[in-house]
Amino acid sequence: MALATAVLPDPDESAKDMGVLNIGNALPQSLVPIAAPALLAIGGGGNYGALFLFGAIAAVLGALAVQFIRSVR
């Protein structure tokens, strides 16, 4: 976490920024177990291809979203 705290924009609001960072880390880990059974059930069950395809699409969308970050200090 030392690198994460080094690039925070405002030292006076570091608690808020660390909270947002924690949400960004924990939210995907909470949502994937909810979505995975529905993706695995496509086509009769055990459809790991759909699960991995969804993961790949999510990774590409995340990589594209990061492109809009202008800078870190």
Side-chain angles (χ1 to χ4, degrees), residues 18-41:
M18 289 297 289
V20 171
L21 185 66
N22 187 36
I23 291 170
N25 187 33
L27 189 63
Q29 296 175 20
S30 301
L31 295 179
V32 170
I34 296 170
L39 291 168
L40 289 172

Side-chain angles (χ1 to χ4, degrees), residues 8-67:
L8 292 177
D10 186 10
D12 294 333
E13 295 187 4
S14 60
K16 176 188 66 97
D17 295 334
M18 289 297 289
V20 171
L21 185 66
N22 187 36
I23 291 170
N25 187 33
L27 189 63
Q29 296 175 20
S30 301
L31 295 179
V32 170
I34 296 170
L39 291 168
L40 289 172
I42 294 173
N47 192 354
Y48 288 95
L51 183 64
F52 288 124
L53 179 63
F54 182 77
I57 291 169
V60 169
L61 290 175
L64 291 174
V66 169
Q67 298 298 319

